[in-house]
Amino acid sequence: MTVGELRVSGGYELICEGDTNRAVKSVYCGDLLSSVMLKAPRDCAWVTVMGNINAAAVSFTADAACIVLAENAEADREMLDKAKEYGINVLKTDLPVFEAALRIYGQINA
């Protein structure tokens, strides 16, 4: 599944567009940035409520396919600027973190 397909089938709002043809192979949840850097698998959809510049840097370092901001978390301007610079896809949903991750898992494994 690609980020673009994930966005459409899950009804996520695309708030920063990178390569929407990038494959999403897994899902990872976490807000402790050091853990995300070490444990998030490459090409994952990272579900978080962290909408700051550090999240963009961690996503880039972890080589995540996209960031999914759950619980209507807001991305600040610095994050969006850095995500655009790095070509990071950032999606948004009002779902809680667990429900967003569960939905993404189901979409990937359908």
Side-chain angles (χ1 to χ4, degrees), residues 14-97:
L14 181 65
I15 61 173
C16 184
E17 185 172 351
D19 178 8
T20 57
N21 290 316
R22 177 131 184 221
V24 178
K25 297 180 180 176
S26 63
V27 61
Y28 185 84
C29 300
D31 294 323
L32 184 59
L33 299 180
S34 59
S35 291
V36 176
M37 282 194 303
L38 293 172
K39 297 178 182 179
R42 183 174 192 262
D43 298 320
C44 72
W46 172 30
V47 184
T48 184
V49 295
M50 302 292 292
N52 60 39
I53 192 170
N54 295 329
V58 167
S59 175
F60 180 76
T61 301
D63 204 11
C66 62
I67 299 170
V68 179
L69 292 175
E71 301 177 17
N72 269 330
E74 292 295 326
D76 64 27
R77 175 58 38 206
E78 291 176 321
M79 183 225 196
L80 293 175
D81 290 345
K82 191 55 70 174
K84 185 175 182 177
E85 177 185 333
Y86 288 160
I88 298 168
N89 294 292
V90 182
L91 308 174
K92 185 175 179 177
T93 182
D94 61 347
L95 293 173
V97 171

